[in-house]
C-alpha cells in the first residue's frame, strides 16, 4: 500500500489529526517533516515517537500563511529529507461567531490559515512534483465545507474553497501523475471537540449515524490510503470521513 521511502510534509503536524497522520505515514515507511508554528515541544515529541519506532522525521518551524516561511519550510525539508513528494495541508483554525457579530479579524485569520496557506504550500510543492512526475497533495477539509454550519461562515467558506481548489489543481496536474484530494472529517476527538459543552456534544452525536465522534487515527487512515500507490487513480475528490454526518 505505502509509497515507501517517499518524503512527506504535514502542515500543523504537531498534534491532533496532524500528529495522527505523521504517525500513520511513518508506519507506511514514509519520511515525515512535521511543520509547526509555535509548539516546538509537541512537534519534537512527534519526531521522538517516530524515531523511536525506527522511522525518519524532522520538525520544521514556519507560518504557512507567509510566502517566505513557506519557501523556507520546503527548503529545510528538502535539505534534511529530500524534496517533498507528499504534501498534507492540515494547518487550520476556527474562530466561530454568528455573521452579524463576526469581526474582520475573525474572517481574515480563518481564511488566511485555512485557505491561503494551501495555495502557498501547494504552489511550492507542485513545482518539484511536476518535474519528477509524481506527487500527492491531500487537503484536510471539513464536512462544514460540504454542508455549511451556523456560526461558522468563515470556516465553511474556507473549507468549501478548499474543495474547489482541490478539484481545479487536480485537473491542472493530473497528466503529471500528481493526485490532489480533500479529506473532509466530521467531528473528531481533538482538543476543539473536547472543549465543547456536554449537551452540545450529545446533540451532535445524536445526528451522527454511527453514534460517536471519530478518532484522529480514522482520518489518518484515509490520508494514508490517498498517499499510497493504491490510490493512484483517485484524484479531485472530497471524501467525507464523518460517521455519516454529511448524509444525516
Amino acid at each position: 500500500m505505502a509509497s515507501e521511502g517517499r518524503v512527506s510534509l504535514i502542515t500543523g503536524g504537531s498534534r491532533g489529526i496532524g500528529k495522527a497522520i505523521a504517525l500513520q505515514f511513518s508506519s507506511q515507511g514514509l519520511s515525515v517533516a512535521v511543520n509547526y508554528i509555535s509548539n516546538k515541544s509537541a512537534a519534537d515529541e512527534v519526531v521522538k515517537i517516530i524515531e523511536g519506532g525506527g522511522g525518519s522525521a524532522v520538525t520544521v518551524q514556519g507560518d504557512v500563511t507567509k510566502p517566505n516561511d513557506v519557501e523556507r519550510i520546503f527548503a529545510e525539508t528538502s535539505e534534511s529529507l529530500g524534496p517533498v513528494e507528499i504534501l498534507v495541508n492540515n494547518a487550520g483554525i476556527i474562530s466561530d461567531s454568528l455573521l452579524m457579530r463576526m469581526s474582520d479579524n475573525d474572517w481574515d485569520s480563518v481564511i488566511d490559515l485555512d485557505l491561503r496557506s494551501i495555495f502557498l504550500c501547494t504552489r511550492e510543492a507542485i513545482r518539484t512534483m511536476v518535474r519528477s512526475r509524481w506527487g500527492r497533495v491531500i487537503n484536510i477539509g471539513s464536512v462544514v465545507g460540504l454542508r455549511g454550519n451556523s456560526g461558522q461562515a468563515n470556516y465553511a467558506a474556507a473549507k468549501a474553497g478548499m474543495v474547489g481548489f482541490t478539484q481545479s489543481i487536480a485537473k491542472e496536474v493530473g497528466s503529471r501523475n500528481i493526485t490532489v484530494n480533500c479529506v473532509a472529517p466530521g467531528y473528531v476527538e481533538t482538543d476543539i471537540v473536547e472543549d465543547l459543552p456536554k449537551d452540545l456534544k450529545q446533540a451532535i452525536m445524536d445526528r451522527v449515524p454511527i453514534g460517536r465522534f471519530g478518532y484522529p487515527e480514522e482520518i489518518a487512515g484515509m490520508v494514508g490510503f490517498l498517499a499510497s500507490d493504491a490510490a493512484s487513480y483517485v484524484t479531485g475528490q472530497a471524501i467525507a470521513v464523518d460517521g455519516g454526518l454529511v448524509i444525516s
Side-chain angles (χ1 to χ4, degrees):
M1 176 180 175
S3 303
E4 287 194 46
R6 303 259 185 205
V7 175
S8 66
L9 168 65
I10 304 165
T11 69
S14 66
R15 59 194 182 96
I17 291 173
K19 176 181 178 180
I21 294 169
L23 299 182
Q24 173 69 37
F25 277 3
S26 180
S27 75
Q28 293 180 204
L30 306 178
S31 298
V32 184
V34 180
N35 162 252
Y36 70 99
I37 187 169
S38 60
N39 198 340
K40 184 178 188 302
S41 61
D44 286 341
E45 179 62 23
V46 177
V47 170
K48 182 179 178 181
I49 294 170
I50 290 173
E51 291 181 338
S56 174
V58 296
T59 61
V60 190
Q61 190 279 333
D63 184 341
V64 290
T65 70
K66 298 179 179 178
N68 289 342
D69 275 24
V70 169
E71 187 176 339
R72 177 179 54 77
I73 288 166
F74 278 80
E76 290 181 4
T77 300
S78 183
E79 183 177 346
S80 299
L81 301 174
V84 174
E85 298 165 288
I86 300 167
L87 169 66
V88 180
N89 286 307
N90 172 70
I93 58 169
I94 60 171
S95 186
D96 296 349
S97 176
L98 294 175
L99 184 62
M100 289 190 298
R101 300 172 188 165
M102 187 174 290
S103 69
D104 291 353
N105 185 65
D106 288 336
W107 178 270
D108 291 342
S109 61
V110 171
I111 295 298
D112 272 0
L113 186 53
D114 293 32
L115 188 57
R116 172 180 165 84
S117 69
I118 74 164
F119 155 65
L120 294 174
C121 291
T122 304
R123 182 178 63 179
E124 190 70 26
I126 64 172
R127 288 169 174 160
T128 301
M129 294 177 182
V130 165
R131 288 196 295 271
S132 63
R133 300 186 71 86
W134 196 95
R136 299 282 188 269
V137 177
I138 304 159
N139 301 316
I140 306 303
S142 169
V143 292
V144 172
L146 304 179
R147 59 181 292 171
N149 196 34
S150 177
Q152 292 191 303
N154 48 1
Y155 187 66
K159 296 304 186 179
M162 180 184 285
V163 174
F165 179 89
T166 296
Q167 294 170 342
S168 297
I169 307 308
K171 290 182 177 182
E172 290 186 16
V173 299
S175 65
R176 297 286 181 169
N177 200 28
I178 302 167
T179 65
V180 187
N181 290 288
C182 177
V183 174
Y187 287 89
V188 177
E189 293 281 6
T190 61
D191 293 343
I192 294 173
V193 167
E194 183 64 29
D195 292 338
L196 293 175
K198 186 176 180 180
D199 57 343
L200 178 57
K201 291 173 71 172
Q202 187 59 55
I204 293 168
M205 278 193 279
D206 289 343
R207 292 166 47 208
V208 178
I210 286 183
R212 63 171 174 83
F213 293 141
Y215 300 110
E217 294 77 14
E218 292 173 309
I219 310 304
M222 176 58 72
V223 176
F225 168 69
L226 292 173
S228 75
D229 291 331
S232 58
Y233 203 56
V234 180
T235 196
Q237 302 304 305
I239 303 170
V241 184
D242 65 347
L245 178 62
V246 78
I247 61 169
S248 65

